Amino acid sequence: MISGVETRRDPAVDVPEALFADPEAEARWRGRFTAARISVPDWARDAPERSVYSSNASGTWEVYAWDRASDTHRRVTDRPNGTRGATVSTDGAWIWWFDDTDGDEFGTWVREPFAPDVAKAVPAVEGAQRGYPAGLDLGTTTTAIGWSTDDGSTLAVQVGDADLRTVYTHTEDAGIGALSRDETLLAISHSEHGDSRHPAIRVLRLPGAEAVADLYDGEGKGLEPVEFAPVAGDPRLLVQHERRGRDELLVWNPLTGTETELDIDLPGDLSAGFYPDASALIVAHTRAGRTTLHRYDLESGELTDLPTARGSVGGADVRPDGSVEYGWSSAEQPSSVRVLRPDGTDEVLLTPPGDRPAPSVVLEDAWVPGPGGDVHALYSRPAGSTGPVPTLFMIHGGPQAADEDRYSAVRAVWLDAGFAVVHVNYRGSSGYGSSWRDAIEGHPGTTELEDVAAVQSWAVESGLADPAACVLEGWSWGGYLTLLGLGVQPERWAVGAAGVPVADYVAAYEDEMEPLRAFDRSLFGGSPTEVPERYRTASPLTYVDAVTAPVLVLAGENDPRCPIRQIDNYLDALAARGTPYAMVRYDAGHGSLVVSETLNHTAAEIAFVRRALGMSVPVAG
């Protein structure tokens, strides 16, 4: 099919100059997006006063350097579409960042001096090919780097000034896992068995790359290398496993074959990292959309709570002095980067410049009976509202992700615009055990929508949602489920808004990045050639004739995950049938790192939806 760019003119979205008639409300919602935010800093292992972090303070998410000794900050990158991914060398001399093209995620690592006097980026590793990133670990003299292309995955190692040497290559997905502190062992994640959703681990001895040991738990049970013990000569590798149906932890010595499964008495999914002296772990426990932090002593097995407020933790690490730096937010309170000191003091670590964003509304919990078990939903009602109201079902991406009790400027503005907001942690979501996450395998899309339907019915029956004003919305996998839901469940949805979606699954498979093809083969049980009916059943294009609700689609021209051609195929079909729709195209990849672009996308969605429902734009004060 010829691209829709050439065969039709997409209807444009009329984005209002002001979304709210009340100036205070207008300033509040815009301020939530434009307020400066920062990530949890990453510091140089052997020079911990030198850190890097990401911030949107310039209006675009870029990399920043923080010299803690002088408490000075500088912006490192300045690119039109922003910069994803950065770290700092072990000695603090170099900042590494990933150089892609216009957000397409295809590129290579570059580096530049931490000191601001010379700030010219150069290729970080001579001989590394351009590709999609497949892991990076920096040692004192050893660099382990991975990339993937249409030919598969390549993992390579450079020791000192020697030439880069390939240590692993395969047509299936693989990645750099962890480098031991003495730089003699490299753990890699691989899916030679053909299932990238449930990888295995191999440990190689450097510099020769001989295989030392393999760890594979069999079909449907993945393993992830986390990190080696941060002590020279200690070969213990921390591993995340799912042997008992949820994410748990074990410590593996690949030289002796000893495995120690850690008996941590917490009911949810676990992730962790070592304390600097390798005597303990910092454990993140995720359950029902919220996260708690704990310290686990490896010798005694004692578990100690690390006091954080109710909400979600986004990243945590332990400094050499035992302080824990972490990101935190809740649905009501904006994010902050905090430090929990050894004496128990918990305080803000970094304060972004400018005003803080306005708070929002708390999220409530609902457990809704569904065909595969109780579905966890999180929801908020507009302040002061009573009775059924227009309701946005904001569907998360992934699908291996989950909605959590965390701050969202997007959720906040929908609430201000008069909509209840409902999040659905459908089957396929993480944080509810392996069976829940893997229940979509072999029949993705329609399985998740069964859970969305159950929650939509609950929202109507409970008196929260107006049945004539239910909106389906999401980005990435959530955008895919939105388009699929509009065709599979047309009676439930009055309007839909899909950001960077899969719209024509076969064409998407043909054009997407190779790691996602591997993911799709694992999810569907094969390629479109091998299991064509599964892809047909899961593709929104299959049900386009049934779509009656107005549709808004937002997509990046350089998206390697949900490429533009397959979206154009879907829009061609809508146009041929006269189904009302509008399209927002932007010059970036899978989402935008530019704050003004994100703000415009949100305004476009709300304006489109309110008009489709017969509501006024701008929103009355």
Side-chain angles (χ1 to χ4, degrees):
M1 178 181 291
I2 299 174
S3 169
V5 174
E6 301 176 21
T7 61
R8 52 160 218 287
R9 184 184 183 92
D10 291 325
V13 180
D14 182 14
V15 181
E17 291 186 8
L19 191 55
F20 292 86
D22 175 25
E24 291 187 7
E26 181 71 11
R28 182 173 61 246
W29 91 266
R30 290 182 178 274
R32 289 195 183 103
F33 283 83
T34 58
R37 288 169 286 163
I38 53 178
S39 68
V40 177
D42 177 27
W43 57 84
R45 188 188 76 196
D46 299 327
E49 296 307 305
R50 292 190 165 190
S51 299
V52 294
Y53 60 88
S54 297
S55 176
N56 67 337
S58 69
T60 301
W61 282 95
E62 298 286 5
V63 178
Y64 286 72
W66 176 26
D67 188 331
R68 299 185 188 219
S70 61
D71 196 24
T72 56
H73 302 253
R74 73 173 179 92
R75 187 170 66 180
V76 176
T77 56
D78 184 7
R79 306 197 305 151
N81 289 300
T83 307
R84 302 174 189 266
T87 189
V88 61
S89 61
T90 57
D91 61 2
W94 296 92
I95 296 171
W96 291 52
W97 53 271
F98 192 76
D99 183 20
D100 67 351
T101 303
D102 296 330
D104 66 358
E105 302 177 51
F106 192 89
T108 189
W109 288 92
V110 298
R111 64 175 185 167
E112 60 183 77
F114 188 95
D117 53 339
V118 181
K120 182 179 179 181
V122 298
V125 181
E126 293 293 340
Q129 298 179 22
R130 291 179 62 82
Y132 301 108
L136 176 74
D137 204 344
L138 305 180
T140 303
T141 61
T142 304
T143 297
I145 187 171
W147 62 86
S148 64
T149 66
D150 286 347
D151 296 325
S153 301
T154 300
L155 310 180
V157 169
Q158 183 181 51
V159 179
D161 295 328
D163 291 341
L164 185 69
R165 178 185 179 189
T166 297
V167 297
Y168 181 87
T169 183
H170 203 279
T171 55
E172 293 291 346
D173 198 34
I176 297 294
L179 182 67
S180 66
R181 181 54 61 94
D182 60 12
E183 302 173 26
T184 63
L185 299 174
L186 175 66
I188 67 171
S189 172
H190 72 84
S191 52
E192 292 176 5
H193 51 292
D195 182 2
S196 66
R197 285 169 56 86
H198 304 93
I201 299 174
R202 180 167 299 151
V203 173
L204 308 177
R205 189 185 301 278
L206 300 180
E210 302 89 1
V212 173
D214 284 271
L215 199 60
Y216 176 51
D217 276 356
E219 184 177 351
K221 295 181 178 180
L223 296 163
E224 291 286 353
V226 180
E227 65 173 322
F228 279 100
V231 176
D234 189 338
R236 292 178 299 164
L237 178 67
L238 180 62
V239 174
Q240 192 172 49
H241 71 89
E242 49 182 318
R243 295 174 177 177
R244 288 179 289 273
R246 64 187 181 103
D247 288 341
E248 295 183 89
L249 302 162
L250 64 84
V251 176
W252 177 42
N253 185 330
L255 300 184
T256 64
T258 303
E259 298 176 30
T260 304
E261 295 183 10
L262 305 183
D263 184 15
I264 298 178
D265 188 20
L266 295 169
D269 285 355
L270 307 177
S271 59
F274 279 103
Y275 270 71
D277 62 358
S279 66
L281 302 178
I282 179 171
V283 177
H285 170 238
T286 301
R287 185 170 185 267
R290 295 175 180 89
T291 310
T292 55
L293 291 179
H294 311 265
R295 183 185 187 277
Y296 178 80
D297 187 279
L298 285 168
E299 182 175 353
S300 68
E302 181 182 4
L303 186 69
T304 305
D305 294 345
L306 299 177
T308 58
R310 178 179 170 86
S312 291
V313 173
D317 206 352
V318 186
R319 296 275 293 171
D321 67 355
S323 296
V324 176
E325 295 181 357
Y326 68 100
W328 176 89
S329 77
S330 68
E332 187 178 19
Q333 294 298 323
S335 62
S336 60
V337 176
R338 307 186 65 83
V339 56
L340 181 62
R341 304 201 183 277
D343 64 3
T345 303
D346 187 8
E347 59 191 7
V348 173
L349 175 68
L350 284 174
T351 302
D355 296 332
R356 291 280 286 163
S360 187
V361 180
V362 299
L363 279 170
E364 305 289 344
D365 296 87
W367 291 89
V368 180
D374 287 351
V375 184
H376 182 218
L378 296 157
Y379 68 97
S380 293
R381 175 186 281 278
S385 66
T386 59
V389 294
T391 300
L392 179 82
F393 291 79
M394 185 182 290
I395 309 303
H396 72 72
Q400 290 179 212
D403 280 311
E404 298 179 333
D405 182 7
R406 66 174 67 246
Y407 189 81
S408 166
V410 176
R411 182 197 312 118
V413 68
W414 280 100
L415 289 163
D416 287 351
F419 291 81
V421 177
V422 178
H423 301 286
V424 183
N425 283 329
Y426 49 75
R427 279 171 289 171
S429 302
S430 298
Y432 300 86
S434 302
S435 295
W436 189 262
R437 183 200 63 213
D438 293 343
I440 66 173
E441 291 182 355
H443 36 83
T446 52
T447 301
E448 299 95 297
L449 287 176
E450 290 176 350
D451 294 341
V452 173
V455 173
Q456 191 260 357
S457 294
W458 162 83
V460 171
E461 293 164 4
S462 68
L464 173 67
D466 179 351
C470 289
V471 183
L472 194 56
E473 188 270 353
W475 283 70
S476 191
W477 197 263
Y480 157 63
L481 292 177
T482 294
L483 294 186
L484 189 64
L486 295 178
V488 173
Q489 304 165 340
E491 73 285 354
R492 292 182 180 272
W493 312 111
V495 59
V500 292
V502 175
D504 172 358
Y505 222 125
V506 173
Y509 182 90
E510 293 171 353
D511 295 350
E512 68 191 6
M513 58 201 295
E514 174 55 30
L516 282 184
R517 290 194 198 116
F519 179 89
D520 284 341
R521 291 191 296 271
S522 298
L523 182 60
F524 283 84
S527 69
T529 301
E530 296 166 322
V531 287
E533 186 59 23
R534 292 183 182 180
Y535 283 84
R536 190 199 70 80
T537 300
S539 181
L541 186 61
T542 300
Y543 309 95
V544 71
D545 285 341
V547 176
T548 56
V551 187
L552 173 64
V553 178
L554 308 94
E557 295 281 3
N558 307 311
D559 191 344
R561 298 173 181 266
C562 298
I564 198 69
R565 179 176 72 95
Q566 52 95 24
I567 293 172
D568 284 331
N569 291 348
Y570 184 83
L571 297 179
D572 280 337
L574 288 180
R577 290 155 178 78
T579 305
Y581 78 93
M583 173 66 170
V584 174
R585 295 176 184 269
Y586 58 91
D587 186 21
H590 197 64
S592 177
L593 300 179
V594 180
V595 174
S596 61
E597 190 79 67
T598 304
L599 191 149
N600 288 337
H601 293 167
T602 304
E605 285 195 34
I606 293 175
F608 181 87
V609 168
R610 283 185 63 90
R611 290 181 180 125
L613 295 177
M615 302 167 72
S616 62
V617 179
V619 181

